[in-house]
Amino acid sequence: MTVGPTTRRRQLGADLRRLRERKGLTLEEAGARVGISKATLSRYETKEGAVKWPAVDALCREYAATDEERLALVELAKGAKIQGWWRSLADPIPESMNLMLTLEDEVVREDHFACMYVPGLLQTRAYAEAVHRASEVQCGEREVQHMVDIRMKRQELLEREEPPHLWCVIDEAALRRQVGGHEVMREQLEHLLTMSRRPHVTVQVLPFARGAHAAAVGSFAVLRGQAPDLDVVYVDLLGGGLFMEKPQELERYRLAFEYLSAQALDLESSAELVDRISREPQ
């Protein structure tokens, strides 16, 4: 399994580039001042590969960074190889899930549009099991439980002292699709209502009555980092997912989410619709 860049490493690369540009230096000029090649400095800034913290310290001094900025980046450099909790799992996980967990570990906000299922961070265990059994028809029960365990562990993100803001726009179809049967679905909708009352969780419903919308192609998530250039878009695909981080791609999906949120019901009306659907006889 390929090891993707840690979130700390991505943050470090973005910050080094920002400081260099603030100082008005080219890659070649900055590298020459601290005795590293242009190619090496470029690699430092592209969020991949190993870094040496003494070089980061020297670069920060050349860039006239504040002591606070310099010490923070040195700590990032020292911790850039630290991997998340999922690295210790006995069973392997899909590469797309590995990268999702890496990015999500230090995300500050997640914007989800869900047209098929309730977003994973808001799923009950029974609902998640039903989703995995339907999606991975050739998987054995042990593998299904392994993936569900990971999903449940992911949800601890929302229990942190300072959790990220989770903003979900959910298509009405996802709320009416009977996943796992009536009782599983009723429990899921009640859980969704409970989670939506948390201050850091926003849930809006895009009703059928709104007609065509800005994301007819499918579900996606915008994972937002400490700075806009750390944002990544995740798009669901059969058998995995696609990650995108080019500026034009990010802007397209950010705008799509804004449109979807504007088309969706307000928070109170959304909660009323979820509650109404949960009480409908089957």
Side-chain angles (χ1 to χ4, degrees), residues 163-203:
H165 188 155
L166 178 63
W167 192 319
C168 301
V169 175
I170 306 175
D171 194 282
E172 185 177 345
L175 303 179
R176 294 189 176 279
R177 181 169 288 104
Q178 288 293 302
V179 175
H182 177 61
E183 286 305 311
V184 169
M185 203 62 212
R186 181 179 58 79
E187 178 191 39
Q188 174 61 70
L189 294 177
E190 290 176 354
H191 179 67
L192 185 62
L193 281 173
T194 298
M195 294 299 293
S196 72
R197 298 186 187 104
R198 295 191 177 192
H200 58 279
V201 177
T202 300
V203 174

Side-chain angles (χ1 to χ4, degrees), residues 72-269:
L73 291 194
V74 167
E75 285 304 306
L76 277 177
K78 289 179 177 179
K81 292 183 179 180
I82 295 174
Q83 304 295 339
W85 55 264
W86 56 95
R87 291 295 177 194
S88 62
L89 295 175
D91 294 331
I93 60 176
E95 179 57 27
S96 61
M97 177 58 70
N98 163 55
L99 185 52
M100 170 64 84
L101 294 171
T102 299
L103 296 171
E104 199 170 59
D105 194 39
E106 294 179 17
V107 75
V108 298
R109 172 174 156 177
E110 293 192 25
D111 295 340
H112 288 254
F113 171 64
C115 63
M116 181 66 69
Y117 301 121
V118 171
L121 289 173
L122 298 178
Q123 291 179 5
T124 64
R125 186 175 187 95
Y127 182 94
E129 288 176 351
V131 168
H132 277 289
R133 290 193 184 103
S135 302
E136 308 291 342
V137 292
Q138 295 182 329
C139 287
E141 185 61 20
R142 183 173 183 274
E143 187 172 351
V144 168
Q145 293 303 322
H146 173 57
M147 296 306 295
V148 173
D149 286 344
I150 292 173
R151 179 156 296 182
M152 296 299 101
K153 184 69 175 179
R154 274 181 64 207
Q155 294 181 1
E156 293 181 12
L157 184 74
L158 301 177
E159 306 300 328
R160 292 178 177 176
E161 186 174 339
E162 295 184 8
H165 188 155
L166 178 63
W167 192 319
C168 301
V169 175
I170 306 175
D171 194 282
E172 185 177 345
L175 303 179
R176 294 189 176 279
R177 181 169 288 104
Q178 288 293 302
V179 175
H182 177 61
E183 286 305 311
V184 169
M185 203 62 212
R186 181 179 58 79
E187 178 191 39
Q188 174 61 70
L189 294 177
E190 290 176 354
H191 179 67
L192 185 62
L193 281 173
T194 298
M195 294 299 293
S196 72
R197 298 186 187 104
R198 295 191 177 192
H200 58 279
V201 177
T202 300
V203 174
Q204 292 182 272
V205 177
L206 185 63
F208 289 144
R210 292 291 193 264
H213 56 73
V217 293
S219 303
F220 67 88
V222 182
L223 308 176
R224 298 180 182 264
Q226 295 285 348
D229 56 359
L230 291 175
D231 291 358
V232 176
V233 169
Y234 173 80
V235 179
D236 273 337
L237 295 175
L238 187 63
L242 176 66
F243 293 88
M244 298 180 286
E245 57 180 343
K246 292 181 179 178
Q248 61 269 31
E249 295 168 338
L250 290 169
E251 187 57 30
R252 178 183 180 186
Y253 280 92
R254 289 187 192 113
L255 190 59
F257 189 81
E258 288 180 14
Y259 283 151
L260 289 163
S261 179
Q263 288 178 282
L265 299 174
D266 61 33
L267 304 188
E268 183 177 354
S269 299

Side-chain angles (χ1 to χ4, degrees), residues 2-6 8-14 16-17 39-52 80 99 245:
T2 302
V3 177
T6 64
R8 294 174 182 85
R9 180 64 183 85
R10 298 176 69 248
Q11 179 76 57
L12 176 63
L16 285 174
R17 183 178 67 253
T40 297
L41 182 51
S42 177
R43 179 174 57 76
Y44 275 30
E45 293 185 6
T46 54
K47 311 167 191 175
E48 296 181 2
V51 294
K52 296 179 179 179
L99 185 52
E245 57 180 343

